[in-house]
């Protein structure tokens, strides 16, 4: 009996897995959790929203929608950078927030913290309480420009001068000023604190604000890898147990303020009593140590006599 030999069909090639937004969020959340990243689900959502160019809420509206191959490849790159090297999310995507301002960020500048938002908020409230049609503020160690730009964006009377020792940081700050359309009222000065300013500016400011380097270099190994391995050391650490730059600002700040002008400084843990003593010795008035949301002493506020 003759029978036809049926041709053998080759096996179908394996189909690549289809990844949806929800799949990626779940997998990445677990991966980040194993890597010790704080708020792993939030980080996963922020990176995916950036890649898909959509608001975070949209991820759940379209949670079953397949993610295109080119978007998936970019997301995988982001996840690897965040999980394997602990590169901060803000550096990966190239921007971050300060209150409601979107700012360009890079490893040349610090990532704005909630504590510094409190400092900016206090400074803005102080400016808004002052009379006059024109006010002047000075932001030392401006970094990304977050405080200076926040003051200019929220008080149209404010003209702000900002200094930083890093030309790379000032380039980022200037770019942010242009993007926020406040560049006509914010001037950037390269140099070391007050040395960056023309001498004729002495005594002209209503407010001096600064988030300077204040971390003790001896504490470097206690910091999270996102901070110690990626953020600019020049903007983080200062000699004399972290107080060297703060001391210089307290000692010389009054001469740059108008009579009755205010100073507001961010500082680190264990520095409050030292800085308060320095402010008293420098004849500052109405000295006050204020706390952050964690109830830790974080800000020194004082007034020129």
């Amino acid at each position: 009996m003759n029978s036809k030999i049926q041709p053998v069909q080759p096996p179908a090639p394996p189909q690549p897995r289809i990844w949806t937004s929800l799949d990626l969020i779940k997998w990445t959340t677990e991966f980040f959790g194993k890597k010790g990243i704080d708020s792993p689900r939030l980080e996963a959502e922020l990176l995916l929203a950036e890649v898909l160019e959509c608001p975070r809420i949209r991820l759940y509206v379209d949670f079953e929608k397949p993610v295109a191959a080119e978007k998936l490849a970019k997301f995988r790159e982001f996840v690897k950078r965040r999980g394997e090297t602990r590169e901060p999310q803000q550096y990966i995507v190239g921007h971050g927030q300060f209150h409601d301002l979107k700012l360009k960020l890079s490893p040349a500048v610090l990532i704005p913290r909630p504590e510094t938002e409190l400092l900016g908020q206090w400074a803005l409230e102080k400016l808004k309480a002052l009379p006059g049609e024109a006010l002047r503020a000075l932001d030392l160690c401006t970094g990304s420009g977050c405080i200076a730009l926040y003051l200019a964006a929220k008080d149209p009377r404010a003209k702000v001068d900002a200094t930083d020792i890093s030309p790379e940081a000032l380039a980022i700050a200037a770019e942010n000023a242009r993007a926020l359309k406040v560049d006509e009222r914010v001037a950037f000065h390269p140099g070391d604190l007050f040395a960056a300013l023309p001498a004729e500016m002495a005594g002209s400011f209503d407010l001096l604000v600064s988030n300077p380097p204040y971390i003790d270099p001896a504490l470097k190994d206690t910091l999270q890898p996102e901070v110690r391995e990626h953020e600019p050391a020049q903007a983080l650490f200062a000699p004399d147990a972290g107080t060297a730059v703060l001391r210089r600002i307290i000692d010389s700040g009054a001469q740059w303020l108008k009579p009755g002008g205010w100073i507001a400084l961010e500082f680190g843990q264990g520095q409050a009593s030292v800085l308060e003593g320095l402010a008293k010795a420098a004849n500052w008035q109405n000295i006050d140590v204020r706390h952050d949301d964690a109830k830790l002493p974080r800000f020194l506020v004082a007034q020129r006599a």
Side-chain angles (χ1 to χ4, degrees):
M1 179 178 177
N2 294 328
S3 61
K4 283 189 174 182
I5 297 175
Q6 298 295 323
V8 177
Q9 297 295 324
Q15 295 298 311
R17 176 173 176 178
I18 296 175
W19 288 89
T20 66
S21 293
L22 190 59
D23 292 334
L24 291 172
I25 290 170
K26 288 180 177 179
W27 188 93
T28 307
T29 298
E30 183 178 353
F31 176 70
F32 283 171
K34 290 177 181 177
K35 294 295 183 179
I37 292 174
D38 294 335
S39 306
R41 190 178 187 94
L42 174 61
E43 293 256 8
E45 292 174 355
L46 289 170
L47 288 178
L48 185 56
E50 179 71 21
V51 168
L52 297 180
E53 301 178 47
C54 69
R56 278 173 56 208
I57 188 64
R58 193 74 200 174
L59 299 175
Y60 292 96
V61 175
D62 296 333
F63 71 95
E64 291 184 333
K65 185 177 179 180
V67 175
E70 67 275 11
K71 299 288 188 181
L72 184 59
K74 184 175 182 180
F75 181 69
R76 284 173 171 161
E77 177 199 344
F78 282 5
V79 170
K80 183 177 181 180
R81 289 168 64 182
R82 185 71 186 99
E84 298 295 343
T85 71
R86 298 291 290 271
E87 183 178 357
Q89 170 256 131
Q90 292 90 338
Y91 291 161
I92 294 172
V93 302
H95 60 81
Q97 293 291 130
F98 187 80
H99 289 287
D100 61 342
L101 303 184
K102 182 178 179 179
L103 301 175
K104 178 178 180 178
L105 300 175
S106 82
V109 299
L110 291 181
I111 296 167
R113 303 300 202 276
E115 295 82 7
T116 309
E117 288 188 345
L118 291 176
L119 178 64
Q121 183 177 329
W122 181 90
L124 179 63
E125 290 171 355
K126 184 59 65 176
L127 270 187
K128 286 192 168 184
L130 296 175
E133 296 181 0
L135 301 172
R136 296 198 69 178
L138 173 60
D139 177 24
L140 300 175
C141 310
T142 193
S144 65
C146 57
I147 297 175
L149 302 179
Y150 180 66
L151 297 179
K154 301 302 179 181
D155 191 335
R157 302 175 301 161
K159 177 175 172 51
V160 187
D161 289 275
T163 76
D164 203 287
I165 202 169
S166 166
E168 295 80 9
L170 286 183
I172 294 291
E175 191 171 337
N176 284 326
R178 290 190 294 271
L180 294 169
K181 303 186 187 308
V182 295
D183 48 308
E184 291 186 357
R185 290 188 291 113
V186 182
F188 296 104
H189 307 270
D192 185 14
L193 298 181
F194 304 106
L197 301 171
E200 58 267 23
M201 284 187 176
S204 67
F205 294 102
D206 298 282
L207 173 71
L208 188 166
V209 62
S210 182
N211 173 28
Y214 60 70
I215 299 176
D216 184 348
L219 300 177
K220 180 177 180 179
D221 290 342
T222 69
L223 302 176
Q224 291 181 316
E226 287 87 345
V227 178
R228 69 171 182 265
E229 296 174 13
H230 294 281
E231 296 199 65
Q234 188 178 44
L236 290 169
F237 303 105
D240 203 357
T243 66
V245 180
L246 286 159
R247 289 172 182 270
R248 292 171 58 201
I249 296 173
I250 291 170
D251 287 345
S252 302
Q255 63 184 302
W256 295 89
L257 290 169
K258 296 176 182 177
W262 288 88
I263 188 172
L265 305 175
E266 182 173 333
F267 61 81
Q269 292 188 35
Q271 298 172 346
S273 59
V274 172
L275 300 179
E276 193 172 10
L278 289 171
K280 290 177 180 177
N283 296 317
W284 288 94
Q285 307 297 310
N286 298 320
I287 301 166
D288 186 21
V289 171
R290 300 185 172 223
H291 294 70
D292 60 22
D293 286 340
K295 310 302 181 186
L296 296 172
R298 181 67 63 182
F299 312 106
L300 178 76
V301 173
Q303 189 176 25
R304 178 184 170 181

